[in-house]
Amino acid sequence: MAIDIKRVRNIGIIAHIDAGKTTTTERILYYTGRKHKIGEVHEGEAEMDWMEQERERGITITSASTTCFWKDHQINIIDTPGHVDFTIEVERALRVLDGAIFILDASQGVEPQSETVWRQADKYRVPRITFVNKMDKVGADYFKAMESMENKLGTLPLPMQLPIGVESEFEGVIDLITMKEIVWLEETLGAKYEYRDIRPELKEEAEFWRSVLIERLAEVDEAILEKYLEEQAINERELKEAIRRVTLFLKAVPVFAGSAYKNKGIQPLLDAVIDYLPSPLDRGEVVGRTPDGQEVARKPSDSEPLTALAFKIQMDQYIGKLTYVRVYSGVLKAGTYVLNASQNTRERISRIVRMHANRKEDVQELRAGDIGAVVGLKKVRTGDTITDVDHPLVLESLEIPEPVISQAIFPSSKRDEEKLPNILSKLAEEDPSFRFYVDEETGETIIAGMGELHLDIKVDIIRRTFKLNVETGQPRVAYRETIKLPVQNVEGKFIRQTGGRGQYGHVVINVFPLERGKGYEFVDKIVGGRIPKEYIPAVDRGIQEAMQKGVLAGFPVVDIKVELIDGSYHEVDSSELAFKRAAALALRDALQRGKPILLEPIMRLEITVPEEYMGDVIGDVGARRGQIKSIEDTGNAKLITALVPLAELMSYAGDLRSITQGRAHFTMFFSHYAEVPQSVAEKIIAQRKRELEEAKSRK
């Protein structure tokens, strides 16, 4: 039976690694009746961590989706990874979700990856509520966690609850809206709970925090401000309506407390999902572009033309390619033809399923607001828009992060050589942040990703899932090249005269350096038909292909803008190939003249270390060309934040362990690309040349 779109919630669960995302999801599935046994992450039984690699390592690697029901509402949930190496999974989940539960570890507050996922949610303007988890843990502090949200995330936290007890004494919470205690009954695994009157010794504190809640609401909501200034009583309904308003408009974030592992706090969190997070209707229309460039809006309604976004591809060993989709408007029906508007190809929808981790339930259709998966779409890629054949529309795609680390991979035996490219293609189709290519000069197959763990997992999947024995080389930093100076009026000519038809292509380009992270921009400034329109895309392609290999050490070129300003053609001899070659020659010349430089990935490193080792750790960071950005107190330790080149961090885990006798831990994630100092660049270029010479001699 179709459920009213007002009663649908599409939510993600996002957090730093180890904050308790999967444990919270397991409790949600148990209390909503979706499963009848609680699975624990540390025992390898969590239903949403279904991959072998996830169960062994106790971490989430791939986002998993499921559907459950709570108080006549349908909640579609995506549980996302917390580890920075799998940031693409968070990115694509947030792209299609309407709301999110943001989880904090009560003893840690806002951690490094918490900030990253928060910014990702900001980018897609996703309303969220916060669950301060692990209130039973030593060092748990609900109020400090809220303070860290204000200081590090710049948001306004709304205290919705007051914890009763803390650490091993954590009993339950006081609901500051109803002004009642909520206490969970241990013998029911938290399935049963009671609302009770507030015990006398906590009444005053509860009244204080309720007044704080109202004061904070008055800062961002006019209706509450009016009543607050006139000292009028504010009832439960008015409070909840105001909290919903400020949450949907991203003005504030309701904060709840609990311990998922101890089975406390989940049911009020589910109530909050219904009360404060948006339905697809609240999120409103989506805007895309028609093939002729017009902006068109589609309302979240079954009666509108079909508009859906393919946000994830998964290769299933039994049924083949699974395409996860979010339907924004219209109805996606099994047995019908649809248009992949991003690639202008028609495909048939043969089978539709709802996912529960890796289990599938067949359904006949997905309606506006639904999330599900389609079996057997051959050409659809991550980020493609699927529409009604007669009403094409392309939605904004996803932002795919660039890999920062790479390594060579080769089969253990000759007979497996043919299988490897096919397997790597499947992995790259599933995960767009994973890339592979053949280094033309060395002949090696190179895999590239977001970190060492990312590549380790992919290699493990190749060995165990695809049963292919492979060896890998040492991890390498993914350097890039760019230019520092603009170069103008650079000519590229490709002329070949043979017995028959010749080849003629001639271009003139300007090349400018762009800001870091801007990528590549191509501008067609040809006037008067100096180069026929049909050859312009070939010029663009020729430049992009030439950018794959820079002039310093053969690393890819980034952050340049190319203007095509002039050129000429031959009526008979000109061809796309000739213009591609001419463009490549022009770019290579421009790169040589534009003061080429090497760029390296800089990581944001956050180290939690006991104070007695702080001096040694800071000295070590300096020796690695690192810059200390801040030092803060965190519990009984120090939190050091630094920016350090990835090249200097390859053995950091072991080195930090020996410096601090195993008492420090760290997290790191990509920050930006920066210029490599000249002395270091010379060594990298020389090393690269040696590698190429060795590869040639092996050939």
Side-chain angles (χ1 to χ4, degrees), residues 22-32 38-40 259-263 266 270:
T22 302
T23 304
T24 302
T25 309
E26 288 295 311
R27 276 21 180 216
I28 288 173
L29 296 179
Y30 180 68
Y31 300 133
T32 57
I38 292 175
E40 301 296 2
S259 166
Y261 182 56
K262 296 287 185 181
N263 309 312
I266 301 301
L270 283 165

Side-chain angles (χ1 to χ4, degrees), residues 53-266:
Q53 290 81 3
E54 292 177 312
R55 295 191 164 190
E56 283 174 8
R57 296 168 194 244
I59 61 170
T60 301
I61 291 166
T62 181
S63 57
S65 71
T66 188
T67 299
C68 58
F69 293 86
W70 182 253
K71 296 186 177 175
D72 296 326
H73 284 68
Q74 176 180 313
I75 305 176
N76 301 318
I77 303 173
I78 298 183
D79 174 31
T80 65
H83 197 286
V84 66
D85 282 18
F86 310 106
T87 189
I88 181 66
E89 295 288 341
V90 183
E91 183 83 19
R92 55 185 170 190
L94 288 170
R95 171 66 183 84
V96 297
L97 291 170
D98 299 321
I101 298 173
F102 176 69
I103 299 183
L104 291 179
D105 179 325
S107 68
Q108 301 297 322
V110 173
E111 297 176 87
Q113 189 64 4
S114 317
E115 290 187 59
T116 305
V117 297
W118 187 270
R119 304 288 172 233
Q120 285 174 297
D122 276 346
K123 181 165 76 177
Y124 294 114
R125 299 196 57 75
V126 176
R128 61 218 86 139
I129 57 178
T130 295
F131 182 53
V132 178
N133 189 26
K134 304 191 179 184
M135 284 300 301
D136 60 308
K137 193 175 165 185
V138 174
D141 191 329
Y142 175 72
F143 305 107
K144 206 165 181 184
M146 279 200 292
E147 194 181 310
S148 74
M149 288 177 67
E150 280 189 270
N151 295 339
K152 292 188 175 180
L153 305 176
T155 191
L156 180 67
L158 300 176
M160 303 295 290
Q161 296 172 336
L162 178 67
I164 302 169
V166 73
E167 299 179 350
S168 60
E169 305 293 312
F170 177 63
E171 279 183 59
V173 295
I174 293 170
D175 182 339
L176 297 176
I177 304 291
T178 61
M179 291 301 277
K180 293 279 186 186
E181 287 188 6
I182 310 175
V183 180
W184 280 265
L185 307 179
E186 293 284 348
E187 64 276 9
T188 66
L189 288 177
K192 290 191 177 168
Y193 52 102
E194 291 177 352
Y195 279 83
R196 300 174 183 169
D197 289 336
I198 300 172
R199 58 198 78 176
E201 65 269 26
L202 292 177
K203 231 175 173 147
E204 193 178 325
E205 194 181 0
E207 292 287 356
F208 168 76
W209 281 103
R210 191 176 200 268
S211 69
V212 170
L213 168 62
I214 291 169
E215 280 171 23
R216 290 187 179 186
L217 267 178
E219 287 178 38
V220 286
D221 187 82
E222 283 186 22
I224 296 294
L225 176 62
E226 205 173 299
K227 290 213 153 199
Y228 178 73
L229 292 175
E230 292 173 7
E231 298 183 3
Q232 293 180 26
I234 301 166
N235 63 37
E236 240 179 80
R237 182 182 57 79
E238 289 169 326
L239 260 184
K240 286 174 90 168
E241 284 175 358
I243 292 163
R244 181 173 177 78
R245 277 194 300 273
V246 299
T247 304
L248 297 192
F249 285 105
L250 307 181
K251 291 180 178 177
V253 179
V255 183
F256 300 83
S259 166
Y261 182 56
K262 296 287 185 181
N263 309 312
K264 291 172 182 165
I266 301 301

Side-chain angles (χ1 to χ4, degrees), residues 510-540:
N510 296 334
V511 184
F512 303 94
L514 290 177
E515 277 179 58
R516 291 292 153 267
K518 289 292 183 186
Y520 164 68
E521 199 180 319
F522 177 75
V523 183
D524 171 16
K525 288 197 164 182
I526 293 295
V527 290
R530 301 279 296 168
I531 298 175
K533 282 274 180 237
E534 63 264 29
Y535 296 135
I536 305 295
V539 174
D540 186 7

Side-chain angles (χ1 to χ4, degrees), residues 374-434:
V374 179
V375 179
L377 290 177
K378 292 183 175 62
K379 294 181 180 173
V380 173
R381 299 172 306 204
T382 299
D384 283 355
T385 307
I386 295 166
T387 67
D388 186 300
V389 173
D390 298 322
H391 299 88
L393 189 74
V394 178
L395 300 176
E396 181 191 353
S397 190
L398 284 90
E399 214 171 274
I400 310 296
E402 284 296 314
V404 296
I405 196 165
S406 65
Q407 64 187 150
I409 184 168
F410 39 92
S412 304
S413 67
K414 276 280 183 195
R415 70 170 185 274
D416 288 337
E417 271 182 16
E418 289 175 16
K419 296 177 188 172
L420 185 60
N422 186 37
I423 292 168
L424 294 176
S425 292
K426 286 180 178 176
L427 293 176
E429 193 172 0
E430 277 190 316
D431 177 357
S433 67
F434 172 75

Side-chain angles (χ1 to χ4, degrees), residues 439-474:
D439 187 318
E440 288 175 18
E441 303 205 32
T442 65
E444 294 175 318
T445 299
I446 307 294
I447 56 174
M450 303 309 297
E452 289 186 68
L453 178 63
H454 190 200
L455 296 185
D456 280 352
I457 296 288
K458 297 301 180 194
V459 170
D460 198 35
I461 290 169
I462 291 167
R463 287 174 179 151
R464 291 161 65 171
T465 306
F466 292 99
K467 307 285 190 288
L468 192 73
N469 287 324
V470 290
E471 303 298 326
T472 56
Q474 284 297 311

